[in-house]
Amino acid sequence: MKKYLALLLFNCLVAFAVSAQQLRTITGTVKESAGNQPVANAVVRIKNTDVMTASDTKGHFSLKVPAGTVTLEVNATNYKVVTLTVNDKQASINVTLHLLQRVVKDRSRYIMDDVMVGGEPSGSTSPPAPTVKAVSPKRNMVAAQNYEMMVSGVAANNGRVSYAPSSAEDYSPINENIFHAVTDQPLSTFSIDVDRASYSNMRRFLNNGEMPPPDAVRVEEMINYFDYGYKAPAGKDPVAIYTDMAICPWNTSHQLVRVALKSKQVDTRDLPPTNLVFLLDVSGSMDEENKLPLVKKAFRVLTEQLRPQDKVAIVVYAGAAGVVLPPTSGNDKQHILSALDELQAGGSTAGGAGIQLAYDIAAKLRKENSNTRVILATDGDFNVGISSEGALTRLIENERQKGIFLSVLGFGMGNLKDNTMELLADKGNGNYAYIDNFEEARRTFVTEFGGTLFTVAKDVKLQVEFNPNFVQAYRLVGYENRILQNEDFNNDKKDAGDMGVGHTVTALYELKPTGKKGENVNWVDPLKYQQGKIVGNQKEVLTVKLRYKDPAAEKSQLMEKVLPYDNQEIGAAPEDFRMATAVAAFGQLLRRSAFAGTATYDQVLLWAGTARGEDKEGYRAEFIQLVKKAKLLDKDEKE
């Protein structure tokens, strides 16, 4: 507590000092060292204060600072933090950022054919040439070249190994959300997200002795990986809203708000008949233990959950697409399991052709008051057929409008197309999960069977309005690729996220309280005409609005929830709030976030350690072990 009070006093003194001095403006440009390209959303701040701004898409920034010499800190995802001193005669500066180098402590966990012996490089570090393996044709499939993952660029360095994987994994860049002044942008609008692929993918990296790429870390998916004990809705609406707030533990001069959703529970016996088309990638790149063999195990688990009224068809694709199982009743499990057992990998990847065939079968199966879904399982390598992103998304959007949804499961490593797979699931009103082990498959298809396959609310959007009496500025933690325009909230034609049976969604906002003069968020000039009266209770911090549609409806329903002011310590907050906070802090550390504040791995361990609860499935205990691994691997950890 003394530490928090001292930090709060320090910030207050800085605020007073800033306001007492004459301000001047520093402008500049932030670029990267490789290619001299501008860096957007780089946070530029006076060190150890909340006086900050962010660079625009051209890398330009403008920051008001006190007269005299100041120390600035420049931070952007994927780049090393830059600290520089600017004297009173400098009005313009140029900042160059250098990419972080990914480091592995224990390379022995990576085994490369004829390259690594006992975990140490032996001779040449050139990657092995691809080999050709004969595969017996089965179920209309053809033999083809076997794919092998290659890793290159190995260099030993005193027991630590820096390397640049030649893998073709793709992740969309994430421009981290920044603070927005409430007087300038009082509304925050975004689509909900129940995906959790980023968490299990992050786990795969850490378990392999490697820090995940920052852009592979989507903080909202990490938060939403965990089960939280929110009460299911009791009224007519299929979703319940909960809100609370506490002091932000990684910046105790700020506050943290939790917005939580819980969808209704439905007994799986009461769910409508389900028509599933398994669309399975059996191309050569799937011929690894953590790919097609794991796919078979995962879909065997799903098959065991089927009811007599459910139907399943199996479509595979490689050099060509084919039907290996026509529509079959869930009562004939042995027939379905036999078809799965006979699958083999081989061939190039005709993902687009497979998707078209799967949708054609689904269309024939679809009936009114039934649940029809294509489940795609792949390592994400679409390189033959309908491979353009635009053509794929248009196809999936058209089928979604007909009532056929798409879920996507990612497997394996080396050529995971995370960006494409997430996009396809979003466009198909489905989930995106990454299956890194059998336990994750069990969770997806057994523990959360209803949530994975049955939608209870679609196009779920949130819009939060902040009260300037309490909130000077806010930032949404995560959800960067889910941000919507404010006018999209009332537009029923705008697609958004979906919630399945029993799903939970958690969003965190970091708030900068009103009343700290001199520390204004100042990347926009103050507005002249926005000083109207506050309508409603003066003690309301914010109002949450939610829109959703029933699965078969085209018109949305509106819900609202108000959050009254509270100033509790995070230690006094509910257990689930503390767990979500620990996971958010961990995600920000993995991303080298400019907003991680004073958070350290040790603090994350402390916060999570007090929030384990019953932990029936052991996921929170596993999280603690992952934090410990990251702490050992991350040489750039703040002490």
Side-chain angles (χ1 to χ4, degrees), residues 23-284:
L23 296 178
R24 63 191 182 97
T25 300
I26 295 177
T27 60
T29 303
V30 183
K31 293 185 176 181
E32 61 175 20
S33 59
N36 203 34
Q37 295 298 310
V39 177
N41 271 25
V43 175
V44 183
R45 74 169 87 210
I46 301 177
K47 191 172 182 179
N48 296 327
T49 77
D50 278 347
V51 182
M52 68 180 76
T53 186
S55 58
D56 61 20
T57 55
K58 295 182 179 180
H60 299 155
F61 69 88
S62 176
L63 179 66
K64 294 176 182 177
V65 303
T69 300
V70 294
T71 301
L72 300 183
E73 185 178 76
V74 184
N75 194 335
T77 299
N78 274 328
Y79 297 92
K80 295 179 181 178
V81 178
V82 171
T83 302
L84 65 159
T85 301
V86 182
N87 62 44
D88 57 357
K89 295 182 180 179
Q90 290 179 275
S92 179
I93 59 174
N94 293 318
V95 182
T96 301
L97 299 182
H98 297 268
L99 283 168
L100 286 162
Q101 190 171 29
R102 292 161 62 192
V103 176
V104 174
K105 274 191 174 180
D106 181 9
R107 186 62 180 178
S108 63
R109 303 194 63 161
Y110 259 105
I111 304 299
M112 298 198 315
D113 295 340
D114 301 320
V115 178
M116 303 293 288
V117 178
E120 295 295 331
S122 63
S124 172
T125 58
S126 301
T131 59
V132 177
K133 181 173 72 175
V135 181
S136 300
K138 276 198 176 186
R139 303 269 186 178
N140 299 327
M141 303 312 302
V142 296
Q145 186 181 52
N146 177 46
Y147 174 90
E148 289 189 1
M149 185 185 76
M150 292 175 283
V151 180
S152 65
V154 181
N157 180 19
N158 297 326
R160 299 174 68 91
V161 183
S162 301
Y163 71 105
S166 65
S167 65
E169 297 195 3
D170 286 342
Y171 300 94
S172 295
I174 298 175
N175 289 322
E176 195 171 25
N177 289 329
I178 58 178
F179 279 99
H180 296 288
V182 173
T183 53
D184 174 56
Q185 299 185 42
L187 298 176
S188 172
T189 309
F190 66 100
S191 164
I192 62 99
D193 185 7
V194 297
D195 294 342
R196 57 171 187 258
S198 181
Y199 185 92
S200 49
N201 191 29
M202 171 275 298
R203 178 175 63 200
R204 182 253 297 189
F205 276 101
L206 292 178
N207 285 336
N208 283 336
E210 181 183 356
M211 290 293 286
D215 284 331
V217 179
R218 292 185 286 274
V219 179
E220 73 280 3
E221 292 185 22
M222 292 184 59
I223 295 171
N224 288 321
Y225 183 83
F226 294 89
D227 294 320
Y228 300 112
Y230 309 145
K231 291 183 180 180
K236 64 178 182 63
D237 293 307
V239 181
I241 309 173
Y242 302 97
T243 58
D244 50 3
M245 65 188 298
I247 295 172
C248 180
W250 60 76
N251 187 336
T252 55
S253 65
H254 291 178
Q255 290 172 308
L256 201 63
V257 163
R258 174 176 63 159
V259 178
L261 309 179
K262 173 73 173 183
S263 63
K264 66 181 180 180
Q265 299 281 8
V266 180
D267 192 315
T268 55
R269 293 172 296 184
D270 299 329
L271 293 169
T274 299
N275 306 308
L276 300 177
V277 180
F278 299 168
L279 176 56
L280 310 181
D281 182 353
V282 294
S283 61

Side-chain angles (χ1 to χ4, degrees), residues 261-327:
L261 309 179
K262 173 73 173 183
S263 63
K264 66 181 180 180
Q265 299 281 8
V266 180
D267 192 315
T268 55
R269 293 172 296 184
D270 299 329
L271 293 169
T274 299
N275 306 308
L276 300 177
V277 180
F278 299 168
L279 176 56
L280 310 181
D281 182 353
V282 294
S283 61
S285 66
M286 294 291 287
D287 191 19
E288 295 178 27
E289 189 60 32
N290 61 355
K291 293 186 180 180
L292 186 57
L294 185 55
V295 169
K296 292 182 181 181
K297 293 177 183 177
F299 281 85
R300 286 183 68 90
V301 168
L302 174 54
T303 299
E304 295 294 346
Q305 310 306 309
L306 298 175
R307 305 160 301 173
Q309 63 266 41
D310 301 329
K311 289 186 178 181
V312 168
I314 301 178
V315 173
V316 295
Y317 65 92
V323 179
V324 300
L325 181 74

Side-chain angles (χ1 to χ4, degrees), residues 371-396:
N371 173 41
T372 305
R373 185 179 298 266
V374 174
I375 305 178
L376 168 63
T378 178
D379 60 2
D381 191 6
F382 294 86
N383 55 28
V384 179
I386 305 178
S387 57
S388 78
E389 191 173 281
L392 278 171
T393 55
R394 283 191 293 273
L395 169 66
I396 292 167

Side-chain angles (χ1 to χ4, degrees), residues 532-551:
K533 291 183 178 180
I534 304 298
V535 177
N537 193 313
Q538 296 294 312
K539 293 184 179 180
E540 296 174 4
V541 175
L542 54 82
T543 297
V544 178
K545 295 181 180 180
L546 180 146
R547 282 197 175 275
Y548 73 90
K549 296 175 187 171
D550 290 323

